[in-house]
């Protein structure tokens, strides 16, 4: 497993911390220059459009260097296919547990996130508590794992997702 292609699917809004994701991958690339990042999504309104334009302009060198790609929104039904074509799902939203995190976990992708709700339920890719909020440190830790350890952890996380977040479980909670 190469763990080189990172992807984020979600709105291109300030709350999703797109700039942070780019900066953290840039930090991780100092140690792992083979890393690439694809950001997929569109801003949700005109205010967020300004944020996305500024972020895109500020990231021009990374785009020119070939390791950063921006893509427009995709239909939700395409998400599993896109996730399957990548190695790591990266996420910078601090709020509630995004469904994209669960989708990526169910597909079997390692999820690198600063989302505390996700970390509380599934864990963070880290051996140190203080690095749980650093995406770059989580990438570094993830890349240090043996294939056997990685597969075991991904299976355990997928099992949690199925057990707690399947459609059947959501219906049960609703009732």
């Amino acid at each position: 497993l190469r763990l080189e292609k990172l992807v984020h699917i979600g709105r291109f809004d300030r709350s999703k911390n797109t700039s942070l994701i780019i900066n953290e991958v840039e930090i991780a690339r100092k140690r792992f220059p083979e890393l690439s990042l694809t950001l997929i999504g569109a801003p949700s309104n005109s205010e967020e459009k300004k944020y996305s334009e500024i972020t895109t302009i500020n990231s021009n060198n990374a785009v020119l260097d070939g390791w950063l790609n921006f893509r427009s929104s995709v239909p939700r039904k395409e998400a599993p296919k896109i996730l399957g074509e990548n190695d790591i799902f990266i996420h910078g939203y601090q709020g509630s547990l995004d469904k994209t995190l669960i989708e990526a976990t169910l597909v079997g992708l390692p999820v690198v996130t600063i989302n505390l709700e996700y970390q509380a339920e599934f864990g963070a890719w880290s051996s140190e508590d203080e690095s749980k909020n650093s995406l770059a440190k989580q990438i570094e830790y993830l890349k240090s794992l043996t294939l056997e350890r990685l597969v075991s952890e991904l299976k355990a996380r997928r099992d949690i997702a199925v057990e707690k977040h399947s459609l059947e479980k959501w219906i049960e909670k609703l009732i």
Side-chain angles (χ1 to χ4, degrees):
L1 198 58
R2 293 171 39 191
L3 298 177
E4 295 175 358
K5 294 167 57 177
L6 290 95
V7 66
H8 173 79
I9 302 173
R11 293 187 319 274
F12 198 147
D13 290 355
R14 190 178 325 271
S15 67
K16 299 297 182 175
N17 284 320
T18 309
S19 298
L20 172 73
I21 292 170
I22 295 167
N23 291 338
E24 290 287 313
V25 172
E26 190 166 26
I27 289 167
R29 278 180 48 79
K30 290 178 179 150
R31 180 140 185 235
F32 307 104
E34 70 279 5
L35 295 177
S36 66
L37 171 62
T38 301
L39 297 165
I40 302 170
S44 60
N45 59 47
S46 58
E47 189 62 35
E48 297 300 343
K49 185 167 176 30
K50 292 176 193 169
Y51 168 75
S52 72
E53 289 169 351
I54 291 167
T55 302
T56 303
I57 290 167
N58 289 342
S59 305
N60 194 43
N61 285 341
V63 172
L64 291 174
D65 288 344
W67 67 265
L68 176 61
N69 298 293
F70 293 99
R71 285 184 52 194
S72 188
S73 294
V74 296
R76 177 153 292 286
K77 66 181 181 184
E78 288 183 31
K81 179 182 181 291
I82 291 167
L83 291 172
E85 294 168 348
N86 287 278
D87 305 321
I88 299 171
F89 185 80
I90 190 164
H91 179 265
Y93 181 62
Q94 284 278 22
S96 61
L97 189 59
D98 273 0
K99 60 182 163 267
T100 56
L101 294 171
I102 303 299
E103 290 169 349
T105 302
L106 286 169
V107 169
L109 275 187
V111 172
V112 171
T113 183
I114 58 172
N115 186 282
L116 298 177
E117 215 174 303
Y118 183 89
Q119 289 180 357
E121 197 159 326
F122 295 92
W125 298 104
S126 173
S127 57
E128 307 166 20
D129 286 341
E130 65 269 9
S131 66
K132 281 185 180 177
N133 288 327
S134 165
L135 298 171
K137 287 282 187 192
Q138 289 184 60
I139 292 166
E140 182 178 335
Y141 181 79
L142 187 59
K143 288 185 70 70
S144 75
L145 296 175
T146 64
L147 180 60
E148 181 181 21
R149 173 82 171 93
L150 176 63
V151 169
S152 171
E153 185 61 34
L154 291 173
K155 184 186 177 318
R157 289 178 184 213
R158 185 180 187 286
D159 290 347
I160 292 169
V162 168
E163 180 184 323
K164 294 185 176 183
H165 298 282
S166 66
L167 185 58
E168 291 157 351
K169 288 296 176 185
W170 284 349
I171 291 170
E172 253 179 53
K173 288 177 187 177
L174 214 72
I175 293 171

mmCIF file of all heavy atoms in Angstrom, residues 58-73:
data_model
loop_
_atom_site.group_PDB
_atom_site.id
_atom_site.type_symbol
_atom_site.label_atom_id
_atom_site.label_comp_id
_atom_site.label_asym_id
_atom_site.label_seq_id
_atom_site.Cartn_x
_atom_site.Cartn_y
_atom_site.Cartn_z
ATOM 1 N N ASN A 58 -3.550 31.430 -3.593
ATOM 2 C CA ASN A 58 -2.423 31.247 -2.670
ATOM 3 C C ASN A 58 -1.744 29.888 -2.840
ATOM 4 O O ASN A 58 -0.611 29.692 -2.400
ATOM 5 C CB ASN A 58 -2.883 31.411 -1.219
ATOM 6 C CG ASN A 58 -3.225 32.844 -0.875
ATOM 7 O OD1 ASN A 58 -2.819 33.783 -1.575
ATOM 8 N ND2 ASN A 58 -3.980 33.030 0.185
ATOM 9 N N SER A 59 -2.428 28.948 -3.463
ATOM 10 C CA SER A 59 -1.898 27.596 -3.643
ATOM 11 C C SER A 59 -1.364 27.360 -5.049
ATOM 12 O O SER A 59 -1.060 26.220 -5.416
ATOM 13 C CB SER A 59 -3.004 26.576 -3.357
ATOM 14 O OG SER A 59 -3.545 26.779 -2.089
ATOM 15 N N ASN A 60 -1.241 28.405 -5.824
ATOM 16 C CA ASN A 60 -0.855 28.278 -7.221
ATOM 17 C C ASN A 60 0.473 27.541 -7.418
ATOM 18 O O ASN A 60 0.604 26.724 -8.326
ATOM 19 C CB ASN A 60 -0.812 29.656 -7.891
ATOM 20 C CG ASN A 60 -0.745 29.550 -9.394
ATOM 21 O OD1 ASN A 60 -1.449 28.741 -9.986
ATOM 22 N ND2 ASN A 60 0.111 30.346 -9.999
ATOM 23 N N ASN A 61 1.461 27.810 -6.555
ATOM 24 C CA ASN A 61 2.762 27.129 -6.696
ATOM 25 C C ASN A 61 2.631 25.620 -6.522
ATOM 26 O O ASN A 61 3.253 24.844 -7.246
ATOM 27 C CB ASN A 61 3.788 27.688 -5.709
ATOM 28 C CG ASN A 61 4.303 29.044 -6.143
ATOM 29 O OD1 ASN A 61 4.188 29.439 -7.304
ATOM 30 N ND2 ASN A 61 4.857 29.782 -5.192
ATOM 31 N N ALA A 62 1.810 25.202 -5.559
ATOM 32 C CA ALA A 62 1.607 23.765 -5.328
ATOM 33 C C ALA A 62 0.919 23.119 -6.530
ATOM 34 O O ALA A 62 1.251 21.994 -6.912
ATOM 35 C CB ALA A 62 0.782 23.551 -4.063
ATOM 36 N N VAL A 63 -0.013 23.840 -7.127
ATOM 37 C CA VAL A 63 -0.693 23.337 -8.327
ATOM 38 C C VAL A 63 0.316 23.216 -9.471
ATOM 39 O O VAL A 63 0.376 22.197 -10.159
ATOM 40 C CB VAL A 63 -1.881 24.246 -8.724
ATOM 41 C CG1 VAL A 63 -2.463 23.831 -10.062
ATOM 42 C CG2 VAL A 63 -2.960 24.230 -7.639
ATOM 43 N N LEU A 64 1.126 24.257 -9.649
ATOM 44 C CA LEU A 64 2.147 24.239 -10.702
ATOM 45 C C LEU A 64 3.185 23.145 -10.469
ATOM 46 O O LEU A 64 3.684 22.550 -11.419
ATOM 47 C CB LEU A 64 2.830 25.604 -10.814
ATOM 48 C CG LEU A 64 1.957 26.744 -11.352
ATOM 49 C CD1 LEU A 64 2.704 28.081 -11.270
ATOM 50 C CD2 LEU A 64 1.500 26.466 -12.772
ATOM 51 N N ASP A 65 3.495 22.873 -9.184
ATOM 52 C CA ASP A 65 4.438 21.798 -8.847
ATOM 53 C C ASP A 65 3.837 20.414 -9.102
ATOM 54 O O ASP A 65 4.548 19.419 -9.100
ATOM 55 C CB ASP A 65 4.872 21.892 -7.389
ATOM 56 C CG ASP A 65 5.817 23.066 -7.128
ATOM 57 O OD1 ASP A 65 6.370 23.616 -8.104
ATOM 58 O OD2 ASP A 65 5.995 23.416 -5.941
ATOM 59 N N GLY A 66 2.513 20.351 -9.265
ATOM 60 C CA GLY A 66 1.862 19.106 -9.638
ATOM 61 C C GLY A 66 1.357 18.243 -8.496
ATOM 62 O O GLY A 66 0.798 17.174 -8.722
ATOM 63 N N TRP A 67 1.514 18.682 -7.255
ATOM 64 C CA TRP A 67 1.068 17.830 -6.152
ATOM 65 C C TRP A 67 -0.314 18.207 -5.614
ATOM 66 O O TRP A 67 -0.901 17.453 -4.831
ATOM 67 C CB TRP A 67 2.089 17.776 -5.019
ATOM 68 C CG TRP A 67 2.311 19.063 -4.258
ATOM 69 C CD1 TRP A 67 3.273 19.998 -4.486
ATOM 70 C CD2 TRP A 67 1.567 19.533 -3.121
ATOM 71 N NE1 TRP A 67 3.166 21.019 -3.570
ATOM 72 C CE2 TRP A 67 2.133 20.755 -2.725
ATOM 73 C CE3 TRP A 67 0.479 19.038 -2.400
ATOM 74 C CZ2 TRP A 67 1.655 21.491 -1.646
ATOM 75 C CZ3 TRP A 67 -0.011 19.776 -1.332
ATOM 76 C CH2 TRP A 67 0.580 20.981 -0.962
ATOM 77 N N LEU A 68 -0.849 19.350 -6.027
ATOM 78 C CA LEU A 68 -2.157 19.794 -5.560
ATOM 79 C C LEU A 68 -3.092 19.974 -6.737
ATOM 80 O O LEU A 68 -2.735 20.603 -7.735
ATOM 81 C CB LEU A 68 -2.029 21.117 -4.787
ATOM 82 C CG LEU A 68 -3.327 21.766 -4.307
ATOM 83 C CD1 LEU A 68 -4.083 20.851 -3.354
ATOM 84 C CD2 LEU A 68 -3.023 23.106 -3.643
ATOM 85 N N ASN A 69 -4.299 19.410 -6.619
ATOM 86 C CA ASN A 69 -5.322 19.523 -7.663
ATOM 87 C C ASN A 69 -6.631 19.948 -7.036
ATOM 88 O O ASN A 69 -7.017 19.440 -5.979
ATOM 89 C CB ASN A 69 -5.542 18.178 -8.367
ATOM 90 C CG ASN A 69 -4.294 17.701 -9.051
ATOM 91 O OD1 ASN A 69 -3.843 18.311 -10.008
ATOM 92 N ND2 ASN A 69 -3.726 16.619 -8.561
ATOM 93 N N PHE A 70 -7.320 20.848 -7.715
ATOM 94 C CA PHE A 70 -8.664 21.260 -7.315
ATOM 95 C C PHE A 70 -9.638 20.709 -8.342
ATOM 96 O O PHE A 70 -9.396 20.809 -9.538
ATOM 97 C CB PHE A 70 -8.787 22.786 -7.286
ATOM 98 C CG PHE A 70 -7.962 23.445 -6.213
ATOM 99 C CD1 PHE A 70 -6.728 24.007 -6.510
ATOM 100 C CD2 PHE A 70 -8.433 23.524 -4.906
ATOM 101 C CE1 PHE A 70 -5.974 24.621 -5.535
ATOM 102 C CE2 PHE A 70 -7.675 24.136 -3.917
ATOM 103 C CZ PHE A 70 -6.445 24.689 -4.234
ATOM 104 N N ARG A 71 -10.732 20.116 -7.863
ATOM 105 C CA ARG A 71 -11.793 19.642 -8.751
ATOM 106 C C ARG A 71 -13.124 20.162 -8.249
ATOM 107 O O ARG A 71 -13.328 20.315 -7.048
ATOM 108 C CB ARG A 71 -11.855 18.109 -8.764
ATOM 109 C CG ARG A 71 -10.734 17.475 -9.567
ATOM 110 C CD ARG A 71 -10.856 15.974 -9.662
ATOM 111 N NE ARG A 71 -12.161 15.518 -10.137
ATOM 112 C CZ ARG A 71 -12.570 14.260 -10.041
ATOM 113 N NH1 ARG A 71 -11.796 13.343 -9.488
ATOM 114 N NH2 ARG A 71 -13.745 13.905 -10.496
ATOM 115 N N SER A 72 -14.006 20.390 -9.164
ATOM 116 C CA SER A 72 -15.335 20.865 -8.820
ATOM 117 C C SER A 72 -16.124 19.748 -8.125
ATOM 118 O O SER A 72 -15.682 18.610 -8.062
ATOM 119 C CB SER A 72 -16.046 21.307 -10.098
ATOM 120 O OG SER A 72 -17.251 21.940 -9.773
ATOM 121 N N SER A 73 -17.287 20.082 -7.631
ATOM 122 C CA SER A 73 -18.156 19.099 -6.970
ATOM 123 C C SER A 73 -18.451 17.927 -7.888
ATOM 124 O O SER A 73 -18.447 18.067 -9.106
ATOM 125 C CB SER A 73 -19.481 19.749 -6.585
ATOM 126 O OG SER A 73 -19.269 20.723 -5.613
#
